[in-house]
Each structure stands twice: as structure tokens, then as C-alpha cells.
Amino acid sequence: MKELDLKAVPVNERSPDRIINAWKELAEGDTLKLINDHDPKPLHYLFQVEFKDTFVWEYKKQGPDEWIVEIKKIKPPPILSPEQKKKRDELKQILKKLHEAGPEELSGVKKEAQKYFKEVEPKELAMAEQELIQEGTTRTEMKRLCDVHLEVMKGQLGSHAKKLKLPASHPLTICKDEHKIIKRNLRRLKALLAKLKAAGSFDQAKRQLDVLKELSHFFLETEKHHQREEKAIFPRLKAHGVIEPPLIFEEDHVEFMAKKKVLSESALAENKGSYQEFLSKIGPVIEFLTTNLTDHIYKEDNILYPMAYETLDKSEWKEVRKKFDAIGYCCFAPADLKKAKVSRKSGIPPNIKQWAGKRQKAKIKGKKLKV
Ligand SMILES: [Fe+2]
Ligand SMILES: [Fe+2]
């Protein structure tokens, strides 16, 4: 990684040429780290014009005194045939229509979109979304748009995901199996909220509060799952020119982590205030997680993972798996770690308490999961 600290350069010597020359010297796959005392937005626009589709712009710090941006050089995407270009433009139109439709036209647009989505491969969808962002749709808008088309696509994209039959030791199988465990615990968390509401007081909710502690611990622990996605799979997708979808998923991870921390702090706090205050704090957090994390997992299983499988070269998956092992696992033993007592067949430890206990005993440290 090449570093350029503009804060150390006198203002009158900070010409864009200095940055562009440094950029031009980079090899494909290399990154330029830019440190500045203000947001280098104009430079971002310049890059969008001059180096379209060959860079990934990622803020690492955004003020107030310092801005750090990493600009990665990537190989340009393959040139689309006129037929492919026409299809992509049609898909973008459908996505825009879904986004812009008023309440009275929405059901018609949804029907039209449903027919269309049956034919669409996950990668095509992701690349269309990426182009919309590159053309000016903000990431926040795109997330909202994703929610609309996710609702329309449910049941439509399943066939692509089912086609993905991979060995148990494949990184994507590991992630999908972990998703099953996470979803199961999201359902438990949702049911728990209803029970907590019904209990009405701390005294009446003793058992539920214990379960809340276990579940909040579980959700903090699953952070390793997100880390493996971010550090092992996403950088490779970005290097293949699939930039925006991973960034959207990364933003989701940050939001989830913040909510999981609130959940854990609320569950562990000795002084929780009044029972109503406690409920009004954890209620929205649990609702957010059970809705948004479930949707996030659906998008990964049905769009992101099939697309990643299609995009990465076969040899790269071995490297991804090595990185997975180096980062470590949270709640699931990969199939080829033979000493694991949690079998691949059942996959899911009987309950979190048992899993957490086993895990503690095993003292998992990064590389191998021995339970
Ligand atoms: Fe994720
Ligand atoms: Fe995931």
C-alpha cells in the first residue's frame, strides 16, 4: 500500500496531479492511502470521470480533523456485448421503476418485476445495482431499493441459491450453515421479546433474562462470521470489480454490531432502570435485528454468495478457506476439522448454553475449533 499524507504537504503544493501520478504508478490490486485534513470529495468526482470502473474508493476515517481514504486499483470490468448491455439497462429500468412507483402503481410494477426476476442471475442483479450507485443513487437509497426488490424477489431467486451445491468444507457452505444457526437464534430472540413483554417485571422475567444474556453473548460471538465475509470474501469480490454490493453488506455489519452491543449491555447491566425503560431500550433493538439481520442473510444466501461463487476463480476459494481458518470460527465446526464433536450432520449445537460452555472449555484461539 502506498501512502500519501497530504496534511504534511503545504496547501499550495497539494495539486491533484501529485495524487494522480502516485495513482498511475500503482499496479493492479495495489492501494493508495490518502490522508487529508478535509474531505477529498472533489478528487472522488475526478476519479469517477477519469478512472471509472478501475478503482474502489473507501473511507477509513471521515473527520472531523482527518480524512483517510483508501483507493484500490482494480482490473476494469469486461466489456458487455450490445445484447448484455441492453439486458442490464432493462434491469436497471425495472429497479428504478420499483423504487419510484407510487402506491397505486406498485402492485402492477411488482408483477412485471417478478416475471423479470425469474430470468435474472444474482450477479447480473448485483452489477445493475452497482451501476445505479455509480450513476448517482446513494448507498442509502440503494439499501431502501434493495428492501423493495427483495420483497418482490423472495421465492424468485431461490432456484439460483439451490443450484449452489458445494462441499461441506467450502467457505460458502460454512457461512450458509452458520446462517442457519443465526436465523434459529433470531427466531428465539423474537419469541423472547414477546415473553419479556408478557412478564411485566424483572422478578417475573428471571428465566427470560438468563436467555437474553445467552443470546446476546451468541450474537456478539457471531461477529467472526461477518469478519470472515469482510476480510476473506469481500476484498476478492472488489478485486473482480464487484465493489458496491460488498460495501452495502459491510455497512449492514457495522449497524448490526452497534445493536448487538446495546443488546449485550442491556442484558448484562446490573441497574436496568425501570422494567418499562428496559423494554423500551431492548424492544427496538431486537425488532431491528430480527428483521434486518434476517433480510441480510436472505440476500447473502440468494444473491451475494451465488454471485461470489460465480465471480471468484476456483483456486481463490482455497485461499478464502485459509483466511477463514486464520480468522477463526464462532459457533460452527467446519466439516474437515475431524476432531470436532459437533457433527456436521446435526450441524447445530442443541442449544446456545451447551454451545457456549463447550466453546469456553475449548478456548478457541483463532485457527482451530476444537470442541
Ligand atoms: Fe454479512
Ligand atoms: Fe453472513
Side-chain angles (χ1 to χ4, degrees):
M1 185 183 298
K2 190 169 187 169
E3 190 174 302
L4 202 54
D5 186 352
L6 293 175
K7 284 168 76 183
V9 179
V11 178
N12 57 351
E13 289 174 31
R14 290 185 199 175
S15 79
D17 289 348
R18 196 185 184 109
I19 303 157
I20 285 170
N21 288 339
W23 166 259
K24 282 181 177 168
E25 282 169 17
L26 291 186
E28 227 170 67
D30 280 353
T31 301
L32 178 64
K33 182 177 179 181
L34 208 62
I35 305 167
N36 207 357
D37 51 16
H38 62 273
D39 190 348
K41 242 185 196 170
L43 187 73
H44 193 189
Y45 297 136
L46 184 71
F47 264 71
Q48 279 169 328
V49 175
E50 295 281 328
F51 307 112
K52 192 172 180 272
D53 297 336
T54 61
F55 73 94
V56 182
W57 181 279
E58 210 174 334
Y59 282 104
K60 292 291 175 185
K61 191 176 176 196
Q62 287 183 279
D65 305 318
E66 189 178 61
W67 276 256
I68 301 177
V69 182
E70 286 183 6
I71 318 168
K72 185 171 183 162
K73 193 177 258 189
I74 56 165
K75 68 177 170 199
I79 295 164
L80 298 181
S81 69
E83 183 59 25
Q84 287 169 319
K85 170 106 181 54
K86 191 172 159 244
K87 273 184 100 177
R88 184 163 300 171
D89 287 342
E90 277 171 11
L91 180 54
K92 277 157 56 183
Q93 281 309 316
I94 291 271
L95 292 173
K96 273 192 201 164
K97 260 173 139 179
L98 265 176
H99 189 35
E100 288 158 6
E104 64 290 342
E105 37 184 6
L106 192 61
S107 73
V109 178
K110 277 183 179 175
K111 267 188 196 154
E112 188 191 344
Q114 261 169 354
K115 265 194 242 157
Y116 201 83
F117 286 145
K118 272 186 190 164
E119 309 293 322
V120 172
E121 294 291 331
K123 184 164 184 184
E124 248 325 290
L125 180 66
M127 295 314 282
E129 287 173 3
Q130 174 163 306
E131 280 190 13
L132 285 174
I133 292 175
Q134 285 165 345
E135 288 162 14
T137 305
T138 65
R139 237 172 257 148
T140 316
E141 273 174 350
M142 182 50 72
K143 270 198 216 172
R144 198 156 61 86
L145 177 55
C146 281
D147 290 341
V148 179
H149 65 250
L150 180 70
E151 189 201 321
V152 178
M153 283 183 311
K154 274 194 175 161
Q156 308 287 320
L157 278 172
S159 56
H160 296 293
K162 276 173 206 146
K163 271 189 226 160
L164 209 63
K165 288 222 162 69
L166 300 169
S169 58
H170 193 284
L172 292 177
T173 312
I174 293 170
C175 282
K176 285 177 80 173
D177 284 339
E178 286 173 329
H179 280 171
K180 287 178 195 160
I181 305 173
I182 298 170
K183 280 197 295 185
R184 203 170 78 142
N185 285 301
L186 282 168
R187 288 194 293 273
R188 286 185 70 202
L189 191 62
K190 192 175 181 177
L192 183 68
L193 180 61
K195 285 180 189 164
L196 282 166
K197 282 180 180 167
S201 74
F202 287 121
D203 278 347
Q204 296 290 317
K206 272 189 181 140
R207 257 189 52 221
Q208 286 81 7
L209 290 170
D210 283 344
V211 179
L212 182 65
K213 275 183 201 162
E214 284 172 27
L215 286 176
S216 62
H217 174 69
F218 167 84
F219 284 108
L220 280 183
E221 284 287 309
T222 56
E223 202 52 25
K224 281 261 172 74
H225 169 92
H226 299 311
Q227 277 183 28
R228 273 182 269 120
E229 289 172 335
E230 285 185 17
K231 294 190 173 132
I233 300 176
F234 293 179
R236 288 180 184 273
L237 278 174
K238 289 176 190 170
H240 281 276
V242 181
I243 302 153
E244 290 299 334
L247 291 176
I248 290 178
F249 284 86
E250 278 168 14
E251 282 185 6
D252 277 356
H253 292 169
V254 172
E255 271 187 292
F256 296 146
M257 191 54 192
K259 302 287 182 197
K260 288 177 203 173
K261 278 186 180 159
V262 175
L263 190 70
S264 172
E265 283 159 13
S266 309
L268 294 173
E270 286 299 313
N271 183 5
K272 295 181 169 66
S274 76
Y275 195 70
Q276 274 318 312
E277 278 168 3
F278 165 72
L279 277 185
S280 60
K281 192 165 184 189
I282 60 150
V285 172
I286 292 178
E287 271 154 22
F288 181 92
L289 282 174
T290 50
T291 307
N292 293 288
L293 186 49
T294 307
D295 283 352
H296 178 94
I297 288 173
Y298 180 87
K299 282 184 255 180
E300 288 184 341
D301 282 346
N302 294 286
I303 303 172
L304 190 78
Y305 290 176
M307 179 191 64
Y309 183 69
E310 207 185 306
T311 305
L312 269 60
D313 301 330
K314 243 184 179 170
S315 60
E316 285 185 276
W317 286 110
K318 283 193 183 131
E319 295 305 312
V320 171
R321 176 57 205 263
K322 276 187 202 160
K323 188 103 185 171
F324 265 39
D325 290 348
I327 294 168
Y329 298 92
C330 41
C331 50
F332 182 76
D336 59 348
L337 296 181
K338 297 213 164 62
K339 286 176 189 164
K341 283 178 191 161
V342 177
S343 74
R344 251 287 299 155
K345 206 174 169 195
S346 65
I348 301 167
N351 62 47
I352 296 309
K353 208 170 188 174
Q354 187 181 344
W355 164 73
K358 279 183 178 179
R359 191 187 180 283
Q360 221 160 19
K361 273 182 222 158
K363 288 191 179 158
I364 299 161
K365 279 192 180 161
K367 201 161 186 180
K368 286 191 178 174
L369 180 63
K370 292 178 183 171
V371 283

